[in-house]
């Protein structure tokens, strides 16, 4: 194991690397979002209309740091993890289907309580696959996952166990979104309860850690999991129904607890056969 506060030769961060990553990530994203939120609140004037680049903070920070440590070879390795298939492909099933399944169950609760939300694609179902592709590339996953799972997760779960690392990334991830809750054009966040969002995204982070640790540290399942989560809630907006929203958090929480109980909190892996990558081997070195 590396010494405390040091960096490994493969570009993965120690304490200093994590700190710099967070400073770069929040500096980039909040540098775009906070002035926009202050402008919307009437506290600042003359705010320039910047393109929607704030969400790229985590990915930009990760590529800057791995390039600094390992040069272009490090950047290529990080990018290559997004297309790696060196793991049992059955793990793509929870990455693609778990979040939509929980949303579907939540919609059943909405139907039973007479609070079924409206669907933005009604009458034009071709929107569904198009939206999935759009969300993958421009709706969060590509902008974020090279940072959250590709850079930040491993050093945190190295110190805190898989569940602890997943929770820590989830809390950082939630706070990172905070300025968007004050921007009216960000309809997914504006005036929505932050606590509910923070709980759901932290649960998601633990489940994504579970999939990540069983797929050889590949970022493709993480990208797909993040996409399916955003897509399911965007195309089937359960937040419009209070009973469905509560059901979603409860079911997602129960699913997370079941995963932690069955796979174990230390690695979220039941055997070495299921995790042949970096994360499992690091825990084994303790």
């Amino acid at each position: 194991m590396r010494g405390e506060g040091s960096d490994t030769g493969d570009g993965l961060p120690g304490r200093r690397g994590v700190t710099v990553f967070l400073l770069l990530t929040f500096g980039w994203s909040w540098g775009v979002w906070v002035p926009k939120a202050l402008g919307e609140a009437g506290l600042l004037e003359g705010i320039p209309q910047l393109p929607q680049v704030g969400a790229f903070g985590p990915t930009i920070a990760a590529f800057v740091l791995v390039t600094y440590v390992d040069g272009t070879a490090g950047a290529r390795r990080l990018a290559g993890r997004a297309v790696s298939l060196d793991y049992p492909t059955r793990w793509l099933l929870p990455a693609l289907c778990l979040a939509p399944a929980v949303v579907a169950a939540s919609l059943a609760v909405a139907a039973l309580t007479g609070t079924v939300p409206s669907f933005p694609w009604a009458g034009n179902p071709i929107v569904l696959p198009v939206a999935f592709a759009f969300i993958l590339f421009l709706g969060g996953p590509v902008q974020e996952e090279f940072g959250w799972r590709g850079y930040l997760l491993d050093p945190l779960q190295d110190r805190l166990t898989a569940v602890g690392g997943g929770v820590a990334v989830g809390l950082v991830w939630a706070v990172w979104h905070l300025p968007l809750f004050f921007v009216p054009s960000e309809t997914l966040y504006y005036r929505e309860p932050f606590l509910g969002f923070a709980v759901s995204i932290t649960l998601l982070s633990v489940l994504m850690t579970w999939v990540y640790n069983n797929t050889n540290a590949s970022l493709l399942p993480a990208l797909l999991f993040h996409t399916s989560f955003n897509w399911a809630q965007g195309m089937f907006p359960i937040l419009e129904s209070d009973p469905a929203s509560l059901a979603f958090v409860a079911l997602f929480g129960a699913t997370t607890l079941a995963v932690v109980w069955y796979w174990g909190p230390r690695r979220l892996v039941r055997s070495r056969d299921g995790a042949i990558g970096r994360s499992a081997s690091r825990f084994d070195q303790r």
Side-chain angles (χ1 to χ4, degrees):
M1 294 291 287
R2 61 182 179 277
E4 189 169 297
S6 65
D7 291 310
T8 64
D10 62 358
L12 291 170
R15 181 177 297 174
R16 182 177 61 179
V18 167
T19 301
V20 175
F21 169 80
L22 294 176
L23 289 173
L24 288 175
T25 295
F26 279 80
W28 177 282
S29 300
W30 283 27
V32 175
W33 292 340
V34 170
K36 189 173 182 179
L38 293 174
E40 294 284 358
L43 300 176
L44 282 180
E45 296 182 359
I47 303 299
Q49 293 298 312
L50 298 174
Q52 299 293 331
V53 297
F56 284 92
T59 284
I60 288 173
F63 275 102
V64 166
L65 290 173
V66 298
T67 301
Y68 175 76
V69 173
D70 288 330
T72 57
R76 286 195 301 271
R77 283 197 298 272
L78 179 57
R81 290 169 61 192
V83 293
S84 172
L85 294 173
D86 185 21
Y87 52 84
T89 54
R90 65 179 180 273
W91 284 96
L92 293 176
L93 187 63
L96 286 168
C97 299
L98 181 56
V102 174
V103 167
S106 304
L107 285 174
V109 172
L112 291 172
T113 57
T115 59
V116 177
S118 58
F119 303 131
W121 48 270
N124 190 21
I126 191 63
V127 168
L128 293 172
V130 172
F132 191 93
F134 177 85
I135 290 169
L136 172 62
F137 292 105
L138 293 172
V142 168
Q143 292 100 316
E144 302 173 31
E145 285 308 321
F146 290 95
W148 302 139
R149 255 53 61 174
Y151 192 89
L152 183 61
L153 176 59
D154 273 327
L156 292 183
Q157 66 170 336
D158 228 10
R159 295 179 181 276
L160 303 172
T161 75
V163 169
V167 169
V169 172
L171 293 174
V172 169
W173 194 9
V175 171
W176 175 77
H177 281 89
L178 190 57
L180 299 178
F181 285 77
F182 300 93
V183 179
S185 60
E186 298 291 340
T187 55
L188 288 176
Y189 308 105
Y190 185 61
R191 291 185 175 175
E192 295 293 341
F194 177 75
L195 180 59
F197 170 80
V199 170
S200 63
I201 206 170
T202 300
L203 294 171
L204 172 64
S205 182
V206 173
L207 290 172
M208 291 180 72
T209 302
W210 164 59
V211 172
Y212 173 90
N213 283 359
N214 285 277
T215 53
N216 198 17
S218 173
L219 294 180
L220 179 58
L223 288 162
L224 294 175
F225 205 153
H226 191 162
T227 303
S228 69
F229 181 85
N230 288 1
W231 175 86
Q233 294 194 78
M235 296 298 99
F236 305 89
I238 54 175
L239 292 179
E240 293 181 8
S241 164
D242 288 340
S245 299
L246 293 173
F248 176 80
V249 174
L251 290 169
F252 219 54
T255 301
T256 305
L257 289 174
V259 164
V260 172
W261 173 80
Y262 186 76
W263 272 267
R266 186 165 173 262
R267 295 190 308 162
L268 291 175
V269 174
R270 282 187 61 82
S271 71
R272 290 190 60 85
D273 294 338
I276 54 179
R278 180 178 341 191
S279 300
S281 63
R282 285 188 169 194
F283 284 106
D284 289 341
Q285 290 171 14
R286 288 185 171 182

